[in-house]
Amino acid sequence: MGNALEDRWALMQGATSKMNCLVCAGEAKDLTPQNFDGHVIGCPSCGNYEVAGGAWDRLQKASQPERAAALAKAAWLKGFARWPTIKNICF
C-alpha cells in the first residue's frame, strides 16, 4: 500500500488525477511521474504498482482474472523494487 510520503512525492512530480484501478476497477490514483515510461497506480485495495509502458495495452485488453494474476506475478517478481511492476513477462 502507498503512504502519505509516496503520494506527496507523486503529486510533486505532477501526477494528480483519479482513475479506476486496472486490476480491481475500484477508485485509484494516477501516481505517474512526468517523463515515466509507463504508469504508476495507487489503489487502496491492490496497493501501489507500476505498469511498464510495453505492457499497458496488453493489461488493458486482459480479462480481470488475467490482470489480477499479472499483478500477483509482478509482486512475486518484485525483489528489491519499491512497487511491483507489471511487465509482459507477467502474462
Side-chain angles (χ1 to χ4, degrees):
M1 292 263 175
N3 63 40
L5 181 61
E6 292 169 340
D7 290 347
R8 193 172 332 126
W9 175 83
L11 291 172
M12 289 174 19
Q13 300 301 314
T16 59
S17 61
K18 292 184 179 181
M19 63 181 294
N20 289 332
C21 174
L22 292 175
V23 176
C24 73
E27 188 175 313
K29 296 178 190 174
D30 181 351
L31 302 175
T32 308
Q34 295 175 349
N35 301 319
F36 181 77
D37 183 24
H39 300 273
V40 180
I41 299 166
C43 174
S45 297
C46 300
N48 291 340
Y49 62 94
E50 299 177 358
V51 181
W56 181 255
D57 288 336
R58 192 167 181 183
L59 185 65
Q60 288 185 311
K61 293 175 185 175
S63 68
Q64 194 284 326
E66 291 170 327
R67 293 174 183 194
L71 180 57
K73 187 166 184 182
W76 183 74
L77 294 171
K78 182 177 103 168
F80 293 105
R82 181 173 50 193
W83 296 322
T85 301
I86 298 174
K87 303 174 187 172
N88 281 322
I89 194 170
C90 296
F91 292 93

